[in-house]
Amino acid sequence: MRHKAQVFILLILLLVWVEVNGNHQDGMKTRRDERRRNKDDSSEDEQEEYVYSNGIDSIRSKAMRIVPAPDLSKSEEEKWKGDSSEDDETREVDSELLSEPAKWIQRMIAQVEAAEDDLLGETDEDKIDARDDDAEDVVTTPEPPRELTPLEKQALELYESGLAMLNVTRPNKLEAYQLLQRAGELGHSQARVLVAWAQLLGSPTAQDIEAAKQAFQELAELGVPDAHMGLGFLYATGIAVNASQARALVHYTFGAIGGSSWAQMALGYRYWSGVTVAASCEKALDFYRKVANKVAAPAFLIWKEAFGWAEFNQDTRSISYVTWNFSTSGNTNIDLRFAEEVSLSGGQAVQRVRLLEELENPGYNSGILDNDLIEYYQLLAEKGDVQAQVGLGQLHYQGGRGVQQDHQRALHYFLQAADAGNPIAMAFLGKIYLEGSDIVKQDNDTAYKYFKKAADLGNPVGQSGLGLMYLYGKGVDKDYGKALKYFSQAADQGWVDGQLQLGNMYFSGLGVRRDYKLANKYFSLASQSGHVLAFYNLAQMHATGTGMMRSCPTAVELFKNVAERGKWGEKLMEAHIHYREGRLDEAFVTYTLLAELGYEVAQSNAAFLLDKGDVSLFLEQDVFVRALMYWGRAAAQGYSAAQVKLGDYHYYGLGTPVDYEMAATHYRLASEQQHNAQAMFNLGYMHEQGLGMQQDIHLAKRCYDMAAETSADAKVPVALALMKLSLLFSMKYVQESRWQEWLLLFNLDQSLGPNWDLYLITTLVGLLGIVVYFRRPQPQ
């Protein structure tokens, strides 16, 4: 009975405790709901301020301070003033980049505070009140920006002047960097980091790696994202410091969070390929998407009314747009349009010159025009050759192939060809006046005049230009029907921009019924011509599963392609110029930087320079190890010659122990996947010799024949190898036929008797006598 009474009392106490605790939780829930209602009344900016401040400011004393990337929507003076206070500094950080890390930090801080409060006996209600009070203090009491000192104003003016000189069509880089260097000496951090990169890469200033390293270290302590990227690059490559992939990863992460595009590309490539980190397609997609947004969408336009747009950047020269839907927390749809940097041209071509192929193939076409050839075309143009005028105009308008952009000369040649009645020149004149530049003032009326003349002559560029003007109301009334008509005419002739804009209209439902399949079709056609926005649009569709099955790997590859079309892609040509001028260390450092960003051409070229022994930055015993690493990264991206090089390194034991089986594996991969003739020949030789596999002359002959069929250059070495193989095959056949046994079948003792040797000698002597008789001179 006593036992039952004790159980009954315990049950009563348990019920009482549950009831009290439930009332307490209900009270806390009521107070929480009240606070949520109060917070909902606050502005969206204040909510973002609370999330970020509560996450970052709580650990400011324990973590390295992060300075955000420059905000292009604000003036430089506002950004400078923002550096004066830590609270203003945090508010300038890109919310898209820092929202997730801030939430993660907030959760970690909450867990630590909960553990401490449990030890101190603090209640949950007190903690919520304290956090709310802290949040209110952060939101309502921002520190006012301080006034700039005279030195800071002077540094700011020098920095802006230097950037303005770099952003013209034909910049004077040396003079611009002199201004940036003076601004850096006066304390401007962004100017200092630009000068540090110039010193590291040796362009346009003289290379000074130690000075660049010191500047990166000092600026990284101040939290400059691009300085973190610089330190991460040095630690990743072992230039001027001991290589440390862990430190490189840390600095890359800080740089990426701060908004450094290069750091985001480096992390995106590492997560995509699994270099020093676990491969993660989603993380790579996140980083590459951020960089692609900056490359393909520098100016943002927001939807206000039905097909009405409010421009944030009134000075933008962009004319081609794509519409995407983003769902906000308030369940309202906001459409953002991303404007591309270049509209009709599809992006500046990236010159991908492979040093290995340039050396091994004398007739290798790198796409770079010689000065003699350019002068020849100039002579033809001056004599009135319309085709030469149009070609030179396009060359100077687009840039590339070893020629810098020069809109003034492009305008000169196009005007000459247009006067002769060439429709292509008319269309490009329309482009020049529609987009405008620092050379030619933007003029919609003149652009329409030239586009109309070219379109009437059936030129697709002119038709596409008219379509753009009608689509966005540039100098004419907006008319989706006419835009669709002109875009369709241009697309039917295979013009890339007509295909792209048709995809935009079908994707957004502008004047037509929305059709994602047709949008995908036209985007795919435009991407085959290399249009950067076509890659970007397809990447968005694959990343979100719009009109197709979602594919993260495909989206990453497309976003990576867009990211590599950024302004920094021009450094590939800078590195090649350094190589031709004999500045091999500068060429190597530039190629290595681009290799860290994921450029396959840069990886193979960096490995080539190491393989040739042209780099003096490392110890001799480390050169082949580093070259092997870069060959491996290039091979992983599908470069067959790099795959063959990996086989050679394992075959000869360069940077790694001799391993014939591994060499044969690399040769087989290059042979089966990329149909490389050199790999087929090498694989045939290994079959012939029995290296790393069982000797098989038949398989060796098959590999030799495949190499001859794949490449005409392989026919001569294959013929020699087959002659050698035939001789070996004949010798092996004779050895395997056991000819001694065949001689025993003719037993002369049985057929001729025991004196058969005497008979044989007599016969031979008789034959010799007959020969001597007939060889004697006969009498007349």
Side-chain angles (χ1 to χ4, degrees):
M1 291 294 294
R2 178 181 297 177
H3 180 68
K4 292 181 178 179
Q6 291 176 351
V7 172
F8 182 75
I9 293 171
L10 290 175
L11 288 174
I12 292 175
L13 292 175
L14 180 61
L15 290 174
V16 171
W17 180 83
V18 170
E19 182 66 19
V20 172
N21 188 57
N23 293 334
H24 178 67
Q25 294 293 336
D26 292 340
M28 289 185 61
K29 182 177 180 182
T30 302
R31 294 190 62 180
R32 261 190 230 107
D33 294 339
E34 184 178 358
R35 288 189 182 89
R36 281 199 197 97
R37 288 193 297 271
N38 294 332
K39 290 180 182 178
D40 290 338
D41 295 336
S42 63
S43 64
E44 186 175 347
D45 293 337
E46 291 175 343
Q47 293 178 5
E48 292 179 356
E49 182 73 24
Y50 166 71
V51 171
Y52 179 76
S53 301
N54 194 37
I56 298 297
D57 292 335
S58 300
I59 62 167
R60 188 174 298 280
S61 60
K62 300 179 182 179
M64 184 174 295
R65 185 161 55 92
I66 300 174
V67 176
D71 188 356
L72 298 179
S73 64
K74 299 182 179 180
S75 67
E76 193 63 37
E77 184 172 355
E78 291 175 351
K79 288 184 283 184
W80 184 293
K81 292 179 180 179
D83 293 340
S84 61
S85 64
E86 293 179 349
D87 291 335
D88 293 339
E89 182 179 71
T90 57
R91 278 191 293 276
E92 292 177 3
V93 179
D94 188 353
S95 60
E96 183 183 2
L97 288 172
L98 289 179
S99 58
E100 291 301 325
K103 292 177 182 178
W104 176 81
I105 294 172
Q106 187 178 3
R107 290 195 297 268
M108 296 297 294
I109 294 172
Q111 294 177 5
V112 174
E113 290 179 350
E116 293 176 351
D117 293 339
D118 290 339
L119 294 176
L120 297 175
E122 185 179 3
T123 63
D124 292 338
E125 186 175 353
D126 295 334
K127 288 187 288 184
I128 293 174
D129 292 338
R131 290 173 187 167
D132 290 342
D133 294 338
D134 292 340
E136 291 175 0
D137 293 339
V138 172
V139 173
T140 58
T141 59
E143 295 183 10
R146 64 178 178 83
E147 292 293 332
L148 297 179
T149 65
L151 285 179
E152 290 174 344
K153 289 182 179 179
Q154 183 182 358
L156 181 58
E157 292 175 358
L158 291 171
Y159 174 72
E160 291 177 344
S161 300
L163 287 186
M165 293 183 65
L166 289 175
N167 290 330
V168 298
T169 305
R170 299 192 66 181
N172 187 342
K173 293 185 177 180
L174 187 58
E175 185 176 350
Y177 273 93
Q178 289 175 353
L179 295 177
L180 292 175
Q181 186 171 5
R182 289 169 56 191
E185 292 172 354
L186 294 176
H188 198 289
S189 60
Q190 291 298 327
R192 283 193 66 192
V193 77
L194 288 177
V195 173
W197 277 112
Q199 291 173 334
L200 178 63
L201 302 178
S203 177
T205 63
Q207 189 176 51
D208 191 343
I209 297 177
E210 288 298 327
K213 181 185 74 172
Q214 183 178 356
F216 286 146
Q217 290 174 341
E218 294 174 358
L219 293 171
E221 292 177 358
L222 299 176
V224 179
D226 288 329
H228 280 294
M229 169 62 202
L231 272 185
F233 167 68
L234 294 179
Y235 280 116
T237 57
I239 298 176
V241 296
N242 293 327
S244 173
Q245 298 302 325
R247 292 186 178 184
L249 189 61
V250 170
H251 285 292
Y252 282 159
T253 303
F254 275 111
I257 292 175
S260 172
S261 298
W262 289 359
Q264 292 166 356
M265 282 188 70
L267 284 181
Y269 168 70
R270 290 191 172 223
Y271 280 111
W272 177 63
S273 58
V275 174
T276 70
V277 294
S280 174
C281 182
E282 295 299 333
K283 290 183 179 180
L285 176 63
D286 182 54
F287 285 115
Y288 272 126
R289 195 206 309 258
K290 289 180 173 64
V291 183
N293 287 344
K294 297 175 185 178
V295 173
F300 287 89
L301 302 164
I302 189 167
W303 185 273
K304 279 193 171 182
E305 299 175 356
F307 305 116
W309 298 89
E311 294 192 10
F312 291 156
N313 184 2
Q314 299 293 341
D315 296 329
T316 179
R317 301 195 305 270
S318 308
I319 57 176
S320 181
Y321 308 95
V322 183
T323 305
W324 298 102
N325 296 328
F326 296 85
S327 179
T328 63
S329 59
N331 295 325
T332 59
N333 289 331
I334 296 178
D335 291 351
L336 292 180
R337 278 185 190 175
F338 299 116
E340 61 169 322
E341 290 179 337
V342 287
S343 56
L344 298 174
S345 58
Q348 185 171 2
V350 178
Q351 295 294 134
R352 303 177 184 271
V353 182
R354 303 185 186 277
L355 301 181
L356 177 63
E357 296 179 8
E358 193 176 44
L359 176 68
E360 294 183 349
N361 303 323
Y364 173 67
N365 182 16
S366 63
I368 299 176
L369 297 178
D370 295 329
N371 290 331
D372 295 340
L373 186 59
I374 296 176
E375 291 177 358
Y376 172 71
Y377 283 125
Q378 288 175 348
L379 179 62
L380 292 178
E382 295 301 328
K383 289 183 177 181
D385 191 308
V386 177
Q387 295 301 324
Q389 293 168 351
V390 172
L392 286 174
Q394 290 177 320
L395 184 63
H396 287 292
Y397 178 73
Q398 298 276 11
R401 305 194 70 178
V403 179
Q404 290 186 349
Q405 281 185 327
D406 190 338
H407 286 180
Q408 186 65 50
R409 301 191 71 177
L411 182 66
H412 169 72
Y413 287 120
F414 283 143
L415 285 173
Q416 288 183 341
D419 291 340
N422 187 273
I424 300 177
M426 297 176 186
F428 273 90
L429 282 174
K431 287 179 55 178
I432 291 176
Y433 282 103
L434 183 61
E435 297 177 0
S437 67
D438 57 325
I439 302 297
V440 181
K441 184 179 180 181
Q442 200 273 345
D443 189 340
N444 289 330
D445 294 336
T446 307
Y448 180 83
K449 179 184 71 173
Y450 282 115
F451 279 145
K452 181 64 175 172
K453 288 182 179 179
D456 291 342
L457 294 174
N459 181 266
V461 183
Q463 294 166 349
S464 180
L466 280 182
L468 283 170
M469 299 190 77
Y470 281 110
L471 180 62
Y472 300 111
K474 297 284 185 177
V476 294
D477 294 334
K478 189 179 296 185
D479 190 330
Y480 293 133
K482 290 184 178 180
L484 181 67
K485 166 191 167 185
Y486 285 118
F487 287 146
S488 299
Q489 291 176 356
D492 291 341
Q493 297 187 61
W495 177 238
V496 56
D497 201 67
Q499 297 165 345
L500 173 73
Q501 299 302 336
L502 270 184
N504 291 343
M505 295 189 72
Y506 280 109
F507 182 88
S508 303
L510 301 177
V512 294
R513 185 177 180 180
R514 182 169 292 184
D515 191 330
Y516 292 132
K517 290 186 178 179
L518 279 177
N520 179 44
K521 168 190 172 182
Y522 286 113
F523 287 153
S524 300
L525 289 174
S527 68
Q528 293 174 8
S529 300
H531 202 297
V532 62
L533 262 191
F535 288 120
Y536 179 79
N537 298 345
L538 284 176
Q540 290 282 20
M541 296 183 74
H542 281 285
T544 58
T546 304
M548 62 186 70
M549 291 292 294
R550 185 178 186 273
S551 176
C552 180
T554 304
V556 170
E557 291 182 3
L558 291 169
F559 276 134
K560 181 176 182 291
N561 199 319
V562 176
E564 291 181 356
R565 301 293 186 90
K567 191 72 173 176
W568 44 85
E570 298 176 359
K571 294 193 175 297
L572 280 173
M573 273 308 303
E574 289 184 11
H576 188 257
I577 292 173
H578 290 328
Y579 173 75
R580 284 194 165 186
E581 293 176 351
R583 302 171 61 191
L584 301 179
D585 286 344
E586 288 86 343
F588 173 77
V589 174
T590 306
Y591 278 133
T592 307
L593 170 63
L594 297 173
E596 284 292 307
L597 302 186
Y599 287 83
E600 174 268 312
V601 175
Q603 292 168 348
S604 61
N605 288 348
F608 172 83
L609 291 174
L610 290 169
D611 185 75
K612 297 291 292 182
D614 294 334
V615 181
S616 61
L617 300 175
F618 308 110
L619 299 176
E620 186 177 354
Q621 59 268 25
D622 296 336
V623 169
F624 287 117
V625 177
R626 295 175 184 274
L628 180 66
M629 176 189 68
Y630 286 118
W631 285 128
R633 293 183 182 181
Q637 297 198 58
Y639 184 35
S640 62
Q643 196 81 57
V644 174
K645 279 290 185 178
L646 284 179
D648 294 342
Y649 272 51
H650 284 92
Y651 183 89
Y652 296 107
L654 302 176
T656 182
V658 175
D659 190 339
Y660 293 133
E661 293 183 0
M662 184 61 68
T665 300
H666 288 297
Y667 291 147
R668 188 175 291 109
L669 287 174
S671 171
E672 295 176 354
Q673 296 180 0
Q674 286 103 18
H675 304 286
N676 186 282
Q678 182 66 53
M680 296 174 184
F681 186 90
N682 294 351
L683 198 60
Y685 180 80
M686 297 189 74
H687 278 297
E688 175 188 330
Q689 300 296 326
L691 301 173
M693 59 191 70
Q694 187 176 1
Q695 189 176 20
D696 192 327
I697 295 179
H698 300 282
L699 281 178
K701 184 180 184 303
R702 180 182 177 186
C703 291
Y704 287 144
D705 290 337
M706 290 172 60
E709 294 174 0
T710 303
S711 174
D713 295 335
K715 290 184 177 180
V716 173
V718 165
L720 296 175
L722 288 177
M723 290 175 58
K724 175 186 174 185
L725 194 63
S726 300
L727 180 60
L728 293 175
F729 184 80
S730 301
M731 294 177 59
K732 186 175 182 181
Y733 177 79
V734 171
Q735 292 175 355
E736 292 178 352
S737 62
R738 291 182 279 183
W739 54 275
Q740 296 90 346
E741 297 181 0
W742 286 94
L743 290 178
L744 293 177
L745 294 177
F746 299 96
N747 194 336
L748 298 179
D749 290 338
Q750 296 180 359
S751 58
L752 299 178
N755 297 323
W756 63 270
D757 51 347
L758 296 177
Y759 303 147
L760 181 59
I761 292 174
T762 302
T763 303
L764 292 176
V765 170
L767 292 174
L768 182 61
I770 294 172
V771 171
V772 171
Y773 174 78
F774 282 106
R775 284 185 62 83
R776 290 180 63 187
Q778 299 295 326
Q780 296 297 331

